[in-house]
Amino acid sequence: MENFIVSARKYRPSTFKSVVGQNALTTTLRNAIQTNHLAHAYLFCGPRGVGKTTCARIFAKTINCQQLTADGEACNQCESCVSFNEQRSYNIHELDAASNNGVDDIRSLIDQVRIPPQIGQYSVYIIDEVHMLSPGAFNAFLKTLEEPPAHAIFILATTEKHKIIPTILSRCQIYDFNRITIADTVSHLRYVASSENVSIDENALNIIAQKSDGGMRDALSIFDQLVSFCGTTIDYQSAIQNLNVLDYEYYFKLTDAFLQGDVTNSLLIFNEILNKGFDGHHFVTGLSSHFRDLLVCKDPATIELMEVGADIGKRYIAQAQACETDFLIPALKITTDCDMGYRISNNKRLLVELSLIRLCQLTSAKKKIITDEELPPLQAVFPTTGNATSGTSTPTVQGSTPATNSVSTAALTQKKAPAPQPIVRSAAAPAGKRPISISINRGTATQASTTPANPHQEVLAETADEHYSQEAFELAWKAYAQKIPTIASAASYIRSTLPVRTEAHVYEISFSNIFQENEFKTLMTDLSNHMRQTLRNSAIRFVSKVTEASEVPRTGNPEEILRKMMEENPALELLKNTLKLEID
């Protein structure tokens, strides 16, 4: 049985030309060899699996090659190249600093440096993971690194450049290796798959490239793993199943749910993801990347920044057309905040679920603008019970029910003739259209009025007034009470009482003291505008008076006085209980 060699070793580059994704560095090294401008010490630094040790070996072989090619590559035919390829060269020495990191190990290296090469011009010493040397070993190495023998060249390789002391850095030529791009990784994997007679899907290649995080060694190891799992045919579904990668499909479905404001479906999709064993933090970072890719697809000039397969790229472009920039940027802010808070959160699942709810609210919180032609009948929102003055009840619009705590969905969809238009119009609305929003608050459907620019400017109807029921009046009254500041004493009184109708459309409100009345007068114009627009009747008017009989007694039992005051102003009782006040 033939011995298996992993792809990372089998397809390891042997020439500068075959190194993937480091063209600038390999060109510099090749030119230095051709012009004989060789330094005595080099430092190769960068992430794992990007070709540091590989380039060090190619460089060491090439500078000792006796028959360089015209483009500065090793010939692989001379004695020096053959001995190197057969791993029996005495001119190239590799040292692992992770296991030889003491002062004694460096002393042995210094003694070895004095010996000249047997074949070729240079003895090359490759020290891998040089950052693992101890401080004493670094100091012992300084003098030899600065002034080595003429035949000695040091090549230091490390993944953690910041751990190397400055005195070592100043003695070396530093080459920073980059992460290998997705495109370069996919191209090389395609070449390896073709050489191994493996059929692999383009999307699967992109998954491997993204999973490898810029390291070619990792990419080739993942490729071998998939070949063991799938055989000679690798498709996208098999790749994500074996690599435990979250499918793009989940992100596309979640984004559709966000755009529809579908909180329920969003939470169910997230629950399905957790049940499949995926980490919540991995999901959040993936969702952030998905929004980033959608934002990139909004502009044709930035589509090239996408790092996905062609088929999935088309889906990104299609979904990006349905997403507004005003949605994507706040969505990125929400997912980024969730990512930052995930590690310190005690309830990580709740944190993610709250973020999903906020993402759904980015679209559902926007008020729907409805023109007069699309406006449902008033009875659909506030059912009419006949003549408001007589109080007699007649059947409401067909398909609707009295609006006590909810609104009939069927009634809201009915059509009607254009409704009366107010004199005061919204600045953003075109002429002839009156923007109106339908909002639902705590299960009660109300029609929110368009507030004029000046709250003290009264709004009148242009056409004949409409009739309204007492029930509709009470709903509109409660809707207004919910939006005024709770700190005002008049606000508490308005929430706890209803005005009394004294005439056809005149309502009287009684107050226990002059202060409440004065405060109410500041709200009266805004209240009148709200009620007139909501009920479509410009005849509605409010009057106020102070009831002397209900005044708080000035003398008597302090507890009785306090009880009376709390009855008239519930906020006072809340203040007493919050501060734990007692009567002296």
Side-chain angles (χ1 to χ4, degrees):
M1 183 176 180
E2 183 181 358
N3 292 331
F4 172 73
I5 301 177
V6 297
S7 298
R9 292 179 55 193
K10 185 176 182 180
Y11 294 95
R12 191 168 198 166
S14 59
T15 62
F16 286 123
K17 187 177 181 180
S18 60
V19 175
V20 179
Q22 309 294 344
N23 294 334
L25 300 183
T26 55
T27 300
T28 303
L29 294 174
R30 190 188 299 115
N31 291 341
I33 295 172
Q34 288 179 310
T35 58
N36 199 27
H37 286 175
L38 299 178
H40 61 273
Y42 295 87
L43 175 62
F44 292 171
C45 50
R48 68 185 189 281
V50 295
K52 300 184 297 297
T53 305
T54 297
C55 284
R57 291 178 177 178
I58 296 173
F59 185 66
K61 180 178 72 170
T62 306
I63 61 178
N64 280 317
C65 179
Q66 300 170 357
Q67 300 175 5
L68 283 177
T69 62
D71 56 354
E73 297 282 3
C75 66
N76 289 318
Q77 296 177 356
C78 65
E79 177 60 26
S80 177
C81 291
V82 171
S83 62
F84 175 84
N85 293 337
E86 295 177 354
Q87 298 182 1
R88 56 181 177 82
S89 175
Y90 289 99
N91 293 349
I92 300 172
H93 312 273
E94 291 193 40
L95 178 69
D96 178 22
S99 56
N100 300 277
N101 57 3
V103 176
D104 292 338
D105 298 312
I106 295 300
R107 286 176 179 169
S108 299
L109 176 64
I110 293 172
D111 292 339
Q112 188 178 358
V113 167
R114 297 192 182 100
I115 302 175
Q118 296 179 350
I119 301 175
Q121 298 181 349
Y122 300 99
S123 290
V124 183
Y125 297 88
I126 301 173
I127 305 178
D128 208 0
E129 303 299 335
V130 69
H131 65 275
M132 299 292 289
L133 291 177
S134 65
F138 271 128
N139 292 327
F141 191 37
L142 284 176
K143 187 62 177 176
T144 302
L145 185 64
E146 183 177 11
E147 297 178 357
H151 61 265
I153 292 180
F154 294 99
I155 303 177
L156 314 180
T158 179
T159 56
E160 301 184 46
K161 174 183 172 183
H162 61 280
K163 290 186 178 180
I164 300 178
I165 59 177
T167 49
I168 293 290
L169 295 176
S170 65
R171 288 165 168 80
C172 302
Q173 279 191 11
I174 301 175
Y175 289 79
D176 290 304
F177 284 68
N178 302 318
R179 291 184 182 275
I180 302 176
T181 63
I182 299 289
D184 288 338
T185 304
V186 168
S187 177
H188 188 65
L189 288 174
R190 192 182 296 112
Y191 160 73
V192 172
S194 176
S195 301
E196 295 292 326
N197 295 321
V198 174
S199 175
I200 184 168
D201 183 45
E202 190 72 17
N203 291 327
L205 288 174
N206 276 276
I207 288 295
I208 297 174
Q210 293 179 25
K211 188 79 172 179
S212 65
D213 194 26
M216 183 58 71
R217 181 172 57 240
D218 291 356
L220 292 172
S221 298
I222 295 171
F223 173 79
D224 289 343
Q225 178 181 339
L226 287 176
V227 171
S228 300
F229 177 73
C230 304
T232 58
T233 303
I234 303 175
D235 57 15
Y236 172 73
Q237 290 299 328
S238 300
I240 63 174
Q241 179 183 354
N242 180 257
L243 300 179
N244 198 33
V245 175
L246 191 56
D247 192 359
Y248 289 112
E249 188 65 30
Y250 284 109
Y251 295 127
F252 285 116
K253 292 194 296 185
L254 274 171
T255 304
D256 290 337
F258 297 151
L259 295 176
Q260 297 171 6
D262 190 348
V263 175
T264 302
N265 198 28
S266 300
L267 297 180
L268 291 176
I269 293 174
F270 177 57
N271 182 69
E272 181 182 348
I273 292 171
L274 293 181
N275 290 340
K276 289 192 174 183
F278 291 101
D279 179 63
H281 194 201
H282 174 71
F283 162 74
V284 172
T285 55
L287 188 59
S288 296
S289 299
H290 182 75
F291 287 142
R292 176 260 182 194
D293 291 340
L294 288 176
L295 190 59
V296 164
C297 290
K298 294 292 289 183
D299 191 336
T302 56
I303 289 181
E304 62 183 19
L305 300 178
M306 289 281 295
E307 295 180 338
V308 297
D311 295 339
I312 297 178
K314 292 178 181 178
R315 293 196 60 185
Y316 270 104
I317 294 174
Q319 191 171 72
Q321 303 305 317
C323 298
E324 297 180 0
T325 306
D326 293 341
F327 165 77
L328 292 175
I329 294 178
L332 276 170
K333 178 67 168 59
I334 292 173
T335 53
T336 302
D337 291 343
C338 182
D339 181 20
M340 295 173 60
Y342 191 88
R343 293 181 179 87
I344 62 175
S345 174
N346 292 327
N347 194 338
K348 298 183 181 348
R349 174 165 183 165
L350 179 60
L351 175 67
V352 178
E353 289 176 339
L354 287 176
S355 300
L356 296 179
I357 293 173
R358 291 175 60 194
L359 289 169
C360 291
Q361 290 177 340
L362 289 179
T363 52
S364 62
K366 293 182 179 180
K367 293 183 178 181
K368 180 182 177 183
I369 302 301
I370 307 175
T371 60
D372 287 333
E373 288 76 3
E374 301 170 335
L375 188 67
L378 180 64
Q379 292 87 345
V381 182
F382 298 105
T384 303
T385 56
N387 192 333
T389 58
S390 63
T392 58
S393 176
T394 59
T396 59
V397 177
Q398 184 178 0
S400 65
T401 57
T404 54
N405 293 323
S406 63
V407 179
S408 169
T409 304
L412 283 173
T413 60
Q414 295 183 12
K415 299 292 182 178
K416 70 181 288 294
Q421 302 172 352
I423 294 175
V424 179
R425 303 184 187 276
S426 171
K433 305 286 185 180
R434 185 174 65 83
I436 291 177
S437 63
I438 303 299
S439 61
I440 298 178
N441 184 17
R442 299 183 181 179
T444 303
T446 60
Q447 181 180 357
S449 61
T450 302
T451 306
N454 183 2
H456 300 291
Q457 177 183 355
E458 293 191 359
V459 178
L460 303 178
E462 294 179 354
T463 59
D465 297 331
E466 296 188 6
H467 295 295
Y468 57 89
S469 66
Q470 179 64 22
E471 188 177 29
F473 179 87
E474 293 177 3
L475 286 174
W477 176 271
K478 291 177 181 178
Y480 180 80
Q482 291 294 328
K483 74 174 186 177
I484 57 178
T486 57
I487 193 173
S489 60
S492 300
Y493 190 79
I494 290 174
R495 290 189 179 92
S496 60
T497 188
L498 287 172
V500 178
R501 178 183 292 178
T502 57
E503 299 179 24
H505 301 290
V506 179
Y507 295 85
E508 183 180 80
I509 308 176
S510 300
F511 294 95
S512 59
N513 55 69
I514 189 72
F515 303 105
Q516 285 185 345
E517 183 186 31
N518 290 338
E519 191 173 281
F520 172 75
K521 288 180 179 180
T522 62
L523 304 173
M524 187 177 294
T525 301
D526 187 49
L527 172 63
S528 300
N529 290 340
H530 169 81
M531 300 298 289
R532 289 168 182 169
Q533 282 210 83
T534 302
L535 301 177
R536 297 181 182 273
N537 194 306
S538 61
I540 297 176
R541 189 163 56 89
F542 295 94
V543 295
S544 62
K545 71 173 183 177
V546 177
T547 305
E548 298 295 339
S550 62
E551 288 186 351
V552 177
R554 302 300 179 185
T555 59
N557 189 348
E559 294 183 357
E560 181 65 22
I561 296 175
L562 178 62
R563 183 187 62 79
K564 185 66 175 177
M565 293 174 63
M566 289 190 299
E567 288 178 356
E568 298 174 354
N569 191 350
L572 182 60
E573 183 178 5
L574 177 62
L575 176 65
K576 174 181 176 296
N577 295 335
T578 302
L579 301 180
K580 298 181 180 180
L581 302 176
E582 299 292 341
I583 299 178
D584 293 336

